[in-house]
Amino acid sequence: MAVYLAQRMVRLVIQVLLVLTLVFILFRLVPGNPVLLLTGGTATTQQVHQLSVQMGWNQPVLVQLGRYIVQVFRANLGTSLLYNQPVIAVIGTHLPPTLALTAASMLLAILVGVPSGIAAAISPHKTSARGLDIAWLLLLAMPNFWLAILLVQIFAVHLHWFPVVGYGSPLALILPALGIGARLIALISQVTRASVQEVSSQPYIQVAQSKGLSRARLIAKHILKPAALPILTMVGLQTGYLLGGSVVIENIFSYPGIGQLLLSAINMHDYALIEGLALTFATLFLLVNL
């Protein structure tokens, strides 16, 4: 196990290096002079040159790449022009709300998806199971931004059950979490249903049934544990989707996470912050996979 973990850690470092290189190259391929974009095109030639020297953009690309990788591994992602603060400090301020939203979305998806999947697997021919199939199909086909707008209109604007925007209270988490996690609810339910049905067809389950065990005990003791592996795999893989989906949802609900921060950085051409956020998203996804 120690050797395996060491191999995975080495692989993780290599993947992070590849992500660093890819992020660096992609931003160097953006059309136009980044200095002119930062200054709005109003700077003089001398000011453009001074800023290029200050940011290190006048050096060869390989030199810039090497310096960038060294800085990242020293926990130095540069300075945000938008906030005039170190990028790592800005991201650290906005990361906890996004992690809270991701955790709430995942918890909601598990609490709804697993029981509904078990119910559909136990009674696949009931009308309720067929209704769940239709509901999950609709959720999988529905764009999360459209669902988020629909949730705002119904539950915030018309019914006044939840706040439209904001952060800091449990109620403010529910609508954004549902907007991101609705698709995951459908996926977890479908995976749970297929996994429970597969385990239920095994001979040892038939033996347990012949002993007269109750359905609840049969599910809890003999079915759910071996059926949990595909569910856990799905949960881990979809965490990256939740982080990516936060970019759109956070802006709809004015939620102060790294998703909203990313769009602000893009609008203001804050390259250091954009690179730091891209690296943060990629690293979080790699860590979840690990």
Side-chain angles (χ1 to χ4, degrees):
M1 180 60 69
V3 174
Y4 173 74
L5 290 177
Q7 291 174 346
R8 290 296 301 270
M9 291 303 299
V10 171
R11 192 183 307 171
L12 177 66
V13 173
I14 295 174
Q15 290 172 333
V16 170
L17 286 173
L18 291 175
V19 169
L20 286 174
T21 304
L22 182 61
V23 168
F24 180 88
I25 292 175
L26 286 177
F27 280 99
R28 294 309 180 275
L29 293 177
V30 174
N33 190 334
V35 178
L36 295 178
L37 291 175
L38 291 174
T39 58
T42 59
T44 64
T45 304
Q46 183 178 2
Q47 290 174 331
V48 170
H49 176 71
Q50 289 177 347
L51 186 56
S52 298
V53 173
Q54 179 184 348
M55 303 299 293
W57 289 335
N58 63 321
Q59 298 178 353
V61 175
L62 291 179
V63 175
Q64 295 182 46
L65 175 61
R67 189 181 65 175
Y68 175 65
I69 292 176
V70 171
Q71 287 179 342
V72 168
F73 278 95
R74 290 178 178 176
N76 179 14
L77 300 179
T79 302
S80 168
L81 299 177
L82 179 60
Y83 291 89
N84 195 25
Q85 295 178 5
V87 168
I88 195 168
V90 176
I91 295 176
T93 302
H94 290 78
L95 185 58
T98 296
L99 294 180
L101 178 58
T102 301
S105 303
M106 186 64 70
L107 180 62
L108 178 65
I110 293 173
L111 291 179
V112 177
V114 172
S116 61
I118 294 174
I122 293 174
S123 305
H125 301 295
K126 283 189 175 181
T127 305
S128 58
R130 296 173 181 174
L132 284 174
D133 287 338
I134 297 174
W136 301 153
L137 181 62
L138 290 175
L139 288 178
L140 288 173
M142 190 180 300
N144 61 355
F145 66 87
W146 188 85
L147 176 61
I149 296 173
L150 190 64
L151 292 173
V152 169
Q153 289 293 325
I154 296 175
F155 296 105
V157 176
H158 294 292
L159 298 178
H160 304 287
W161 288 359
F162 304 100
V164 179
V165 297
Y167 166 70
S169 67
L171 286 178
L173 269 176
I174 294 177
L175 289 185
L178 188 57
I180 299 178
R183 179 176 178 270
L184 186 55
I185 292 174
L187 287 174
I188 289 179
S189 179
Q190 290 181 335
V191 171
T192 302
R193 178 179 179 174
S195 183
V196 170
Q197 286 179 336
E198 181 180 357
V199 174
S200 299
S201 64
Q202 298 300 316
Y204 70 90
I205 298 298
Q206 299 174 5
V207 173
Q209 286 177 328
S210 66
K211 293 180 180 180
L213 294 180
S214 64
R215 176 175 290 183
R217 187 177 180 186
L218 185 66
I219 294 172
K221 189 174 181 180
H222 297 281
I223 295 179
L224 194 55
K225 186 175 180 180
L229 184 58
I231 302 171
L232 292 175
T233 303
M234 172 63 67
V235 167
L237 293 176
Q238 290 299 312
T239 302
Y241 161 77
L242 294 181
L243 290 170
S246 66
V247 175
V248 175
I249 299 299
E250 286 181 4
N251 281 271
I252 292 177
F253 290 94
S254 297
Y255 194 83
I258 58 176
Q260 189 180 44
L261 181 64
L262 177 60
L263 286 188
S264 299
I266 292 173
N267 291 331
M268 298 302 295
H269 306 295
D270 192 340
Y271 281 85
L273 185 54
I274 296 171
E275 289 178 344
L277 287 169
L279 179 62
T280 300
F281 277 112
T283 304
L284 287 174
F285 185 75
L286 290 174
L287 288 174
V288 170
N289 283 341
L290 177 65

